Amino acid sequence: MTHVHPHTTDHGAQHGHHQQDDADQAEILDLDAEVLSEHIDSIIAWLPLKSSPRHIVDLGSGTGAGTFALLDRFPEAHVLAVDASPGHLQRLRKKACAQKVDDRVRTVQADLDAADWPDLGTPDLVWASASMHHMADPDRVLRNVHRMLAPGGLFAVVELAGFPRFLPENAPEDRPGLEDRGHAATEHLHAEHLPHRGADWGPMLTAAGFALEGERTIAVNIEGSRSEAVGRYALSSLLRIRGAAAQALPAADLAALDRLLDTDGPHSILRRDDLSVRTERTVWAARLS
């Protein structure tokens, strides 16, 4: 998910903004993990592994959605969680302690776009979920993964097809097409700041020297009635769209969004029972060729 930071010459104000943005993103990552946990598990179960991995690297781990799903699936494995955000990694370590798996998790704070990569060992599985499109030079990252992966090891790249949709398509109380216009308005920002979002990673993996073992797209359609977390997930997602698209949407759309985002109001998205989570998640599995 994109971070668009306002320009400011006040370093203290900018630092505070970054901290808040980091906390907001951590919340949405946690909700993503909670709501889409079954889909993460199904992707891991699908991976064409030759044996159970023992040393796993989670590239761009965030707050640990992939880390903990991998630990659950492979009880003999240790996971090295790598992320640029100290706040995300602190949150991940707290979860690891709470789940009593802290002896199987190590965190590394690193900028994966930096020229010098940290020593991440020789993993037999590298997992990169919703992180590759954030890389400034993904081809270099792919080559780095190719160099460190153990012989016969697997590299799994997982990407979500943008922000999920939550609102019913033709609800009479909503402005028709509101969510679609919100998404369209953020696409320009995404294209500018995240040019690799929505990329086909298959040819890029092949160009980096990998053999593509498989590709799978999973349709996600989760009824909101199954989890109250869906409402909070929708709230966090629409708040981010509201912030990013404020200059591009007409006043009537912004007013409709504000009604949905007013948690104390009668039209709050948290009060609705007609939400669903609709998106797609694609995984590419590649091995050293």
Side-chain angles (χ1 to χ4, degrees), residues 10-31:
D10 182 342
H11 178 76
Q14 188 177 47
H15 180 67
H17 175 81
H18 288 345
Q19 284 186 319
Q20 183 59 47
D21 189 78
D22 206 44
D24 290 345
Q25 192 192 33
E27 179 186 10
I28 205 166
L29 288 173
D30 285 349
L31 287 166

Side-chain angles (χ1 to χ4, degrees), residues 133-162:
H133 71 269
H134 285 281
M135 307 299 177
D137 187 355
D139 290 326
R140 185 175 63 181
V141 173
L142 294 177
R143 292 193 298 270
N144 285 340
V145 172
H146 189 277
R147 279 195 292 269
M148 75 175 180
L149 197 61
L154 197 71
F155 182 24
V157 175
V158 186
E159 290 288 342
L160 199 66

Side-chain angles (χ1 to χ4, degrees), residues 12-281:
Q14 188 177 47
H15 180 67
H17 175 81
H18 288 345
Q19 284 186 319
Q20 183 59 47
D21 189 78
D22 206 44
D24 290 345
Q25 192 192 33
E27 179 186 10
I28 205 166
L29 288 173
D30 285 349
L31 287 166
D32 181 274
E34 182 178 352
V35 172
L36 301 178
S37 62
E38 290 180 17
H39 296 278
I40 298 172
D41 292 341
S42 69
I43 286 173
I44 294 173
W46 169 84
L47 293 177
L49 293 159
K50 294 180 176 178
S51 60
S52 292
R54 304 295 291 267
H55 177 192
I56 302 171
V57 168
D58 185 358
L59 280 185
S61 62
T63 59
T67 294
F68 296 109
L70 290 160
L71 289 170
D72 285 346
R73 179 73 182 183
F74 306 113
E76 302 300 317
H78 287 71
V79 175
L80 192 60
V82 187
D83 202 273
S85 166
H88 290 356
L89 293 177
Q90 181 181 25
R91 201 158 175 149
L92 190 154
R93 285 191 296 269
K94 286 182 179 178
K95 291 184 196 175
C97 290
Q99 297 182 29
K100 296 182 170 53
V101 293
D102 48 306
D103 59 329
R104 299 172 56 207
V105 179
R106 188 161 69 88
T107 59
V108 174
Q109 184 189 349
D111 178 1
L112 295 173
D113 282 322
D116 295 326
W117 262 40
D119 181 4
L120 303 178
T122 308
D124 35 26
L125 173 61
V126 175
W127 171 271
S129 178
S131 58
M132 287 301 301
H133 71 269
H134 285 281
M135 307 299 177
D137 187 355
D139 290 326
R140 185 175 63 181
V141 173
L142 294 177
R143 292 193 298 270
N144 285 340
V145 172
H146 189 277
R147 279 195 292 269
M148 75 175 180
L149 197 61
L154 197 71
F155 182 24
V157 175
V158 186
E159 290 288 342
L160 199 66
F163 278 112
R165 262 66 166 180
F166 298 95
L167 297 170
E169 295 182 17
N170 296 305
E173 65 271 27
D174 299 322
R175 281 177 56 78
L178 172 65
E179 223 171 1
D180 287 339
R181 289 190 296 278
H183 281 254
T186 62
E187 284 302 315
H188 174 71
L189 284 172
H190 290 149
E192 180 182 348
H193 294 278
L194 299 170
H196 303 290
R197 184 172 175 265
D200 181 357
W201 292 94
M204 298 171 75
L205 286 160
T206 302
F210 290 94
L212 195 62
E213 293 275 299
E215 177 183 337
R216 183 186 183 195
T217 297
I218 296 175
V220 177
N221 194 338
I222 301 169
E223 293 301 321
S225 58
R226 289 173 51 189
S227 168
E228 62 89 18
V230 168
R232 292 184 285 119
Y233 190 31
L235 178 69
S236 294
S237 297
L238 291 179
L239 274 169
R240 293 180 78 83
I241 290 176
R242 171 66 170 84
Q247 302 301 315
L249 289 176
D253 280 351
L254 293 176
L257 275 173
D258 288 340
R259 287 193 294 272
L260 290 168
L261 297 173
D262 179 4
T263 56
D264 295 322
H267 303 290
S268 168
I269 201 163
L270 296 179
R271 297 176 182 268
R272 298 181 66 142
D273 59 4
D274 60 351
L275 302 177
S276 62
V277 183
R278 305 183 305 280
T279 187
E280 289 183 343
R281 185 167 266 180

